[in-house]
Amino acid sequence: MIRIASRAALAAASTFAIASPALAHMTFETAQSAPGEQFRGVLVLPHGCDGAPTDTIRVTLPQGFVDVSAEAKDGWTLETPGSDGQVSQIVWSGGSVPDDGHETFAFTGTFAADLPETDMVFAVEQMCGEVSLGWEPAVSLGDEPVSHGQDGSDAITVGDLELTGAFTRATLPNAPVGGGYVTITNKGDEADRLVSAQSSFSPDVQIHEMAVVNDVMQMQQLPEGLEIPAGETVTLAPGGLHMMFMNISAPFVEGETVPVTLVFEKAGEVEIELAVQAFGASGMNTSGHEGH
Ligand SMILES: [Cu+2]
Protein backbone atom coordinates (compact mmCIF):
# COMPACT_ATOMS: atom_id res chain seq x y z
CA MET A 1 0.00 0.00 0.00
CA ILE A 2 1.34 3.36 -0.96
CA ARG A 3 0.35 6.41 1.01
CA ILE A 4 0.36 9.73 -0.72
CA ALA A 5 0.19 13.10 0.90
CA SER A 6 -0.20 15.45 -2.03
CA ARG A 7 -3.64 16.66 -3.09
CA ALA A 8 -2.45 17.36 -6.60
CA ALA A 9 -1.10 13.85 -6.87
CA LEU A 10 -4.34 12.41 -5.55
CA ALA A 11 -6.44 14.25 -8.06
CA ALA A 12 -4.19 13.35 -10.94
CA ALA A 13 -3.59 9.74 -10.05
CA SER A 14 -6.97 8.34 -10.96
CA THR A 15 -6.55 8.37 -14.72
CA PHE A 16 -3.47 6.73 -15.96
CA ALA A 17 -0.91 5.97 -18.57
CA ILE A 18 -1.86 6.97 -22.05
CA ALA A 19 1.55 7.25 -23.62
CA SER A 20 2.30 8.83 -26.96
CA PRO A 21 4.01 6.45 -29.35
CA ALA A 22 7.55 6.81 -30.58
CA LEU A 23 8.68 9.44 -28.12
CA ALA A 24 11.83 9.49 -26.07
CA HIS A 25 11.71 7.57 -22.82
CA MET A 26 12.40 9.05 -19.43
CA THR A 27 15.88 7.97 -18.40
CA PHE A 28 18.57 8.88 -15.90
CA GLU A 29 21.32 11.23 -17.04
CA THR A 30 23.77 8.66 -15.64
CA ALA A 31 22.50 5.10 -15.31
CA GLN A 32 25.53 3.29 -13.91
CA SER A 33 26.38 2.58 -10.28
CA ALA A 34 27.34 -0.36 -8.05
CA PRO A 35 26.27 -2.04 -4.80
CA GLY A 36 27.49 0.05 -1.86
CA GLU A 37 27.89 3.18 -3.98
CA GLN A 38 26.26 6.55 -3.54
CA PHE A 39 24.23 7.54 -6.58
CA ARG A 40 22.80 10.87 -7.73
CA GLY A 41 19.82 10.21 -9.95
CA VAL A 42 18.97 12.96 -12.43
CA LEU A 43 15.69 12.31 -14.22
CA VAL A 44 15.29 14.14 -17.50
CA LEU A 45 11.71 14.91 -18.56
CA PRO A 46 11.36 13.85 -22.18
CA HIS A 47 8.15 15.81 -22.85
CA GLY A 48 4.74 16.46 -21.31
CA CYS A 49 1.81 14.06 -21.53
CA ASP A 50 0.20 14.33 -24.95
CA GLY A 51 1.08 18.00 -25.12
CA ALA A 52 -0.07 18.88 -21.60
CA PRO A 53 2.36 20.45 -19.11
CA THR A 54 3.77 18.24 -16.36
CA ASP A 55 2.64 19.13 -12.82
CA THR A 56 3.73 16.16 -10.72
CA ILE A 57 6.61 13.68 -10.73
CA ARG A 58 6.41 10.73 -8.36
CA VAL A 59 9.33 8.33 -8.04
CA THR A 60 8.86 5.00 -6.25
CA LEU A 61 12.26 3.89 -5.04
CA PRO A 62 13.50 0.31 -5.31
CA GLN A 63 14.16 -1.60 -2.12
CA GLY A 64 17.80 -1.35 -1.13
CA PHE A 65 18.12 2.28 -2.19
CA VAL A 66 18.72 3.99 1.15
CA ASP A 67 19.83 7.25 2.81
CA VAL A 68 17.76 9.11 0.27
CA SER A 69 17.59 12.86 -0.03
CA ALA A 70 15.69 14.62 -2.79
CA GLU A 71 16.58 18.01 -4.21
CA ALA A 72 13.92 20.70 -3.81
CA LYS A 73 12.90 22.79 -6.80
CA ASP A 74 11.68 26.37 -6.78
CA GLY A 75 7.93 26.49 -7.30
CA TRP A 76 7.42 22.81 -6.47
CA THR A 77 6.31 21.07 -3.27
CA LEU A 78 8.64 18.23 -2.30
CA GLU A 79 7.39 15.29 -0.26
CA THR A 80 9.20 12.10 0.70
CA PRO A 81 6.70 9.61 2.18
CA GLY A 82 8.03 6.42 3.72
CA SER A 83 8.10 4.39 6.88
CA ASP A 84 10.59 3.33 9.54
CA GLY A 85 12.82 6.24 8.62
CA GLN A 86 13.16 4.98 5.07
CA VAL A 87 12.00 7.11 2.16
CA SER A 88 9.90 5.02 -0.25
CA GLN A 89 8.74 7.72 -2.64
CA ILE A 90 9.75 11.16 -3.80
CA VAL A 91 7.00 13.47 -5.02
CA TRP A 92 7.48 16.84 -6.65
CA SER A 93 4.10 18.52 -7.22
CA GLY A 94 2.44 21.82 -7.91
CA GLY A 95 4.86 23.05 -10.54
CA SER A 96 4.51 23.22 -14.29
CA VAL A 97 6.85 22.15 -17.05
CA PRO A 98 5.59 22.90 -20.57
CA ASP A 99 5.52 20.08 -23.12
CA ASP A 100 8.67 21.35 -24.79
CA GLY A 101 10.46 22.19 -21.52
CA HIS A 102 13.59 20.39 -20.48
CA GLU A 103 13.48 20.06 -16.72
CA THR A 104 15.41 17.70 -14.47
CA PHE A 105 14.48 16.21 -11.09
CA ALA A 106 17.31 14.97 -8.90
CA PHE A 107 17.89 12.97 -5.76
CA THR A 108 20.75 11.21 -4.02
CA GLY A 109 20.87 7.87 -2.21
CA THR A 110 23.00 4.80 -1.69
CA PHE A 111 22.57 1.34 -3.16
CA ALA A 112 22.90 -1.20 -0.35
CA ALA A 113 26.10 -3.23 -0.44
CA ASP A 114 24.23 -6.55 -0.53
CA LEU A 115 22.27 -5.80 -3.70
CA PRO A 116 22.92 -8.02 -6.75
CA GLU A 117 24.73 -6.55 -9.73
CA THR A 118 21.57 -6.10 -11.71
CA ASP A 119 19.35 -3.31 -13.03
CA MET A 120 17.53 -1.36 -10.34
CA VAL A 121 14.22 0.00 -11.59
CA PHE A 122 12.69 3.26 -10.37
CA ALA A 123 8.97 3.51 -11.14
CA VAL A 124 8.17 7.06 -12.18
CA GLU A 125 4.74 8.58 -12.66
CA GLN A 126 4.66 11.74 -14.72
CA MET A 127 1.37 13.56 -14.26
CA CYS A 128 -0.18 16.30 -16.33
CA GLY A 129 -3.56 17.18 -14.84
CA GLU A 130 -5.89 14.32 -15.66
CA VAL A 131 -3.38 12.40 -17.74
CA SER A 132 -0.31 10.59 -16.59
CA LEU A 133 2.50 8.50 -17.98
CA GLY A 134 4.36 5.63 -16.35
CA TRP A 135 8.10 5.23 -16.82
CA GLU A 136 10.64 2.70 -15.67
CA PRO A 137 14.10 4.24 -15.77
CA ALA A 138 16.76 1.88 -14.44
CA VAL A 139 20.27 2.06 -13.04
CA SER A 140 22.72 -0.76 -13.73
CA LEU A 141 24.69 -1.99 -10.73
CA GLY A 142 26.83 -4.31 -12.86
CA ASP A 143 29.29 -3.97 -15.71
CA GLU A 144 26.55 -4.23 -18.30
CA PRO A 145 24.72 -1.07 -19.28
CA VAL A 146 21.02 -0.94 -18.48
CA SER A 147 19.23 -3.50 -20.58
CA HIS A 148 16.07 -2.47 -22.34
CA GLY A 149 14.56 -5.93 -22.56
CA GLN A 150 11.08 -4.61 -22.08
CA ASP A 151 11.52 -2.32 -25.06
CA GLY A 152 12.22 -5.25 -27.37
CA SER A 153 11.19 -4.77 -30.95
CA ASP A 154 9.40 -8.09 -31.48
CA ALA A 155 5.97 -6.78 -32.29
CA ILE A 156 2.90 -9.00 -32.40
CA THR A 157 0.02 -7.75 -34.50
CA VAL A 158 -3.62 -8.67 -34.02
CA GLY A 159 -6.18 -6.75 -36.04
CA ASP A 160 -5.27 -3.07 -35.78
CA LEU A 161 -3.31 -3.63 -32.58
CA GLU A 162 0.43 -3.94 -32.21
CA LEU A 163 1.79 -5.48 -29.01
CA THR A 164 5.39 -4.94 -27.98
CA GLY A 165 7.63 -5.31 -24.97
CA ALA A 166 5.67 -8.04 -23.16
CA PHE A 167 7.36 -8.92 -19.89
CA THR A 168 6.92 -9.84 -16.28
CA ARG A 169 9.23 -10.16 -13.31
CA ALA A 170 10.35 -13.21 -11.43
CA THR A 171 8.28 -13.84 -8.31
CA LEU A 172 9.51 -14.93 -4.91
CA PRO A 173 8.65 -18.50 -3.81
CA ASN A 174 5.11 -18.60 -2.40
CA ALA A 175 4.22 -15.17 -3.78
CA PRO A 176 0.49 -15.34 -4.52
CA VAL A 177 0.47 -12.89 -7.41
CA GLY A 178 2.54 -11.84 -10.39
CA GLY A 179 2.35 -8.82 -12.66
CA GLY A 180 2.16 -8.65 -16.44
CA TYR A 181 3.22 -5.78 -18.67
CA VAL A 182 2.87 -5.02 -22.37
CA THR A 183 2.62 -2.01 -24.64
CA ILE A 184 -0.45 -1.88 -26.89
CA THR A 185 -0.67 0.46 -29.88
CA ASN A 186 -3.97 0.89 -31.71
CA LYS A 187 -3.18 1.73 -35.34
CA GLY A 188 -6.83 1.70 -36.36
CA ASP A 189 -9.54 4.37 -36.53
CA GLU A 190 -11.71 2.86 -33.82
CA ALA A 191 -11.15 2.32 -30.14
CA ASP A 192 -10.71 -1.26 -28.98
CA ARG A 193 -10.85 -2.71 -25.50
CA LEU A 194 -8.79 -5.27 -23.64
CA VAL A 195 -11.66 -7.11 -21.99
CA SER A 196 -9.92 -10.03 -20.31
CA ALA A 197 -6.82 -12.19 -20.10
CA GLN A 198 -6.22 -15.87 -19.43
CA SER A 199 -3.15 -17.88 -18.51
CA SER A 200 -2.30 -21.42 -17.52
CA PHE A 201 -0.39 -19.88 -14.61
CA SER A 202 -3.46 -18.39 -12.95
CA PRO A 203 -7.17 -19.13 -12.64
CA ASP A 204 -7.87 -15.40 -12.58
CA VAL A 205 -5.87 -12.85 -14.54
CA GLN A 206 -7.19 -9.37 -13.74
CA ILE A 207 -6.60 -5.99 -15.30
CA HIS A 208 -5.63 -3.42 -12.70
CA GLU A 209 -5.14 0.30 -12.45
CA MET A 210 -3.80 2.46 -9.67
CA ALA A 211 -6.58 4.35 -7.92
CA VAL A 212 -6.96 6.42 -4.80
CA VAL A 213 -9.42 5.02 -2.26
CA ASN A 214 -9.88 6.93 1.02
CA ASP A 215 -6.73 8.92 0.29
CA VAL A 216 -4.68 5.76 -0.18
CA MET A 217 -3.18 4.71 -3.49
CA GLN A 218 -4.23 1.15 -4.25
CA MET A 219 -4.48 -1.33 -7.06
CA GLN A 220 -7.99 -1.71 -8.33
CA GLN A 221 -9.52 -4.09 -10.84
CA LEU A 222 -10.99 -2.67 -14.04
CA PRO A 223 -14.06 -4.88 -14.44
CA GLU A 224 -14.90 -3.29 -17.79
CA GLY A 225 -11.40 -3.86 -19.08
CA LEU A 226 -9.10 -1.27 -20.56
CA GLU A 227 -9.85 0.96 -23.52
CA ILE A 228 -7.20 1.26 -26.25
CA PRO A 229 -8.17 4.52 -27.98
CA ALA A 230 -7.78 4.83 -31.76
CA GLY A 231 -4.29 5.99 -32.68
CA GLU A 232 -3.02 5.76 -29.10
CA THR A 233 -0.52 3.65 -27.23
CA VAL A 234 -1.43 2.27 -23.82
CA THR A 235 1.43 1.00 -21.69
CA LEU A 236 1.01 -1.55 -18.94
CA ALA A 237 4.05 -1.04 -16.73
CA PRO A 238 5.15 -1.42 -13.11
CA GLY A 239 3.64 1.41 -11.08
CA GLY A 240 0.71 1.84 -13.44
CA LEU A 241 -1.76 -0.22 -15.39
CA HIS A 242 -0.92 -3.92 -15.26
CA MET A 243 -2.19 -7.44 -15.55
CA MET A 244 -2.39 -9.19 -12.20
CA PHE A 245 -2.06 -12.95 -12.13
CA MET A 246 -3.96 -13.98 -8.99
CA ASN A 247 -3.14 -17.18 -7.08
CA ILE A 248 -0.35 -18.22 -9.42
CA SER A 249 0.17 -21.95 -9.75
CA ALA A 250 3.96 -21.72 -10.02
CA PRO A 251 6.56 -19.00 -9.47
CA PHE A 252 7.64 -16.92 -12.45
CA VAL A 253 11.26 -17.91 -13.09
CA GLU A 254 13.77 -15.49 -14.60
CA GLY A 255 14.66 -16.40 -18.16
CA GLU A 256 11.48 -18.38 -18.75
CA THR A 257 8.24 -17.11 -20.24
CA VAL A 258 4.67 -16.89 -19.01
CA PRO A 259 1.99 -17.32 -21.68
CA VAL A 260 -1.09 -15.16 -21.56
CA THR A 261 -4.02 -14.86 -23.95
CA LEU A 262 -5.35 -11.34 -24.30
CA VAL A 263 -8.96 -10.95 -25.39
CA PHE A 264 -9.84 -7.76 -27.24
CA GLU A 265 -13.38 -6.66 -28.05
CA LYS A 266 -12.67 -6.01 -31.73
CA ALA A 267 -9.28 -7.50 -32.53
CA GLY A 268 -10.10 -10.84 -30.90
CA GLU A 269 -7.75 -13.13 -29.02
CA VAL A 270 -3.98 -13.25 -29.16
CA GLU A 271 -1.55 -15.31 -27.13
CA ILE A 272 1.68 -13.63 -26.13
CA GLU A 273 4.65 -14.74 -24.07
CA LEU A 274 5.77 -12.55 -21.18
CA ALA A 275 9.54 -12.72 -20.85
CA VAL A 276 10.36 -13.18 -17.17
CA GLN A 277 12.94 -10.63 -16.10
CA ALA A 278 14.91 -10.60 -12.86
CA PHE A 279 13.06 -10.16 -9.60
CA GLY A 280 12.84 -6.40 -9.73
CA ALA A 281 12.97 -3.81 -7.05
CA SER A 282 10.27 -1.68 -8.61
CA GLY A 283 7.91 -2.49 -5.77
CA MET A 284 5.18 -3.87 -8.00
CA ASN A 285 5.71 -7.51 -7.06
CA THR A 286 6.76 -6.96 -3.49
CA SER A 287 5.03 -4.39 -1.34
CA GLY A 288 2.57 -3.10 -3.91
CA HIS A 289 -0.24 -5.53 -3.18
CA GLU A 290 -0.36 -5.78 0.56
CA GLY A 291 -3.91 -5.33 1.69
CA HIS A 292 -5.10 -5.71 -1.87
CU1 LIG B 1 -2.48 -5.31 -9.08
Side-chain angles (χ1 to χ4, degrees):
M1 196 179 287
I2 300 167
R3 202 165 269 281
I4 299 175
S6 152
R7 276 288 144 191
L10 291 176
S14 46
T15 39
F16 218 85
I18 296 172
S20 298
L23 290 166
H25 285 196
M26 183 187 286
T27 55
F28 284 111
E29 235 170 44
T30 301
Q32 196 76 39
S33 188
E37 296 266 297
Q38 196 183 61
F39 174 74
R40 180 168 181 263
V42 180
L43 290 166
V44 185
L45 272 197
H47 49 70
C49 322
D50 264 349
T54 301
D55 55 41
T56 302
I57 294 289
R58 175 163 55 227
V59 182
T60 300
L61 304 170
Q63 287 180 11
F65 188 67
V66 297
D67 297 334
V68 174
S69 80
E71 298 177 21
K73 290 176 70 68
D74 280 350
W76 294 73
T77 302
L78 173 62
E79 287 159 300
T80 53
S83 58
D84 301 330
Q86 286 290 346
V87 174
S88 60
Q89 290 197 327
I90 302 170
V91 185
W92 290 272
S93 61
S96 183
V97 183
D99 189 38
D100 59 355
H102 292 280
E103 196 71 63
T104 59
F105 294 81
F107 56 88
T108 304
T110 300
F111 289 109
D114 59 357
L115 287 171
E117 293 187 356
T118 183
D119 289 356
M120 299 295 283
V121 175
F122 292 71
V124 180
E125 290 167 59
Q126 175 186 6
M127 303 179 189
C128 313
E130 295 294 302
V131 187
S132 73
L133 301 177
W135 302 100
E136 222 192 350
V139 176
S140 171
L141 300 188
D143 294 333
E144 300 281 312
V146 168
S147 73
H148 288 284
Q150 62 264 50
D151 297 332
S153 56
D154 290 345
I156 292 173
T157 300
V158 53
D160 288 330
L161 304 179
E162 188 178 88
L163 312 180
T164 56
F167 76 104
T168 181
R169 293 183 184 286
T171 56
L172 292 174
N174 302 319
V177 298
Y181 316 106
V182 64
T183 298
I184 306 166
T185 299
N186 185 347
K187 298 192 162 180
D189 305 326
E190 286 183 71
D192 204 338
R193 180 169 287 273
L194 173 61
V195 288
S196 64
Q198 288 137 19
S199 173
S200 56
F201 273 76
S202 163
D204 183 20
V205 181
Q206 302 182 352
I207 301 160
H208 283 189
E209 65 170 349
M210 307 286 281
V212 175
V213 179
N214 297 329
D215 282 4
V216 176
M217 181 69 118
Q218 295 184 347
M219 311 273 171
Q220 183 160 292
Q221 188 176 5
L222 294 172
E224 309 277 285
L226 175 62
E227 187 180 56
I228 318 294
E232 302 265 9
T233 294
V234 174
T235 301
L236 281 65
L241 293 162
H242 57 279
M243 287 175 272
M244 182 63 35
F245 292 66
M246 312 303 287
N247 300 314
I248 55 177
S249 54
F252 295 177
V253 177
E254 183 180 356
E256 297 186 356
T257 60
V258 171
V260 61
T261 299
L262 305 181
V263 182
F264 293 96
E265 206 169 69
K266 296 203 175 76
E269 294 189 8
V270 60
E271 180 174 301
I272 60 173
E273 302 275 336
L274 307 178
V276 183
Q277 302 194 341
F279 173 73
S282 71
M284 181 55 60
N285 289 338
T286 53
S287 61
H289 283 82
E290 283 166 16
H292 171 55

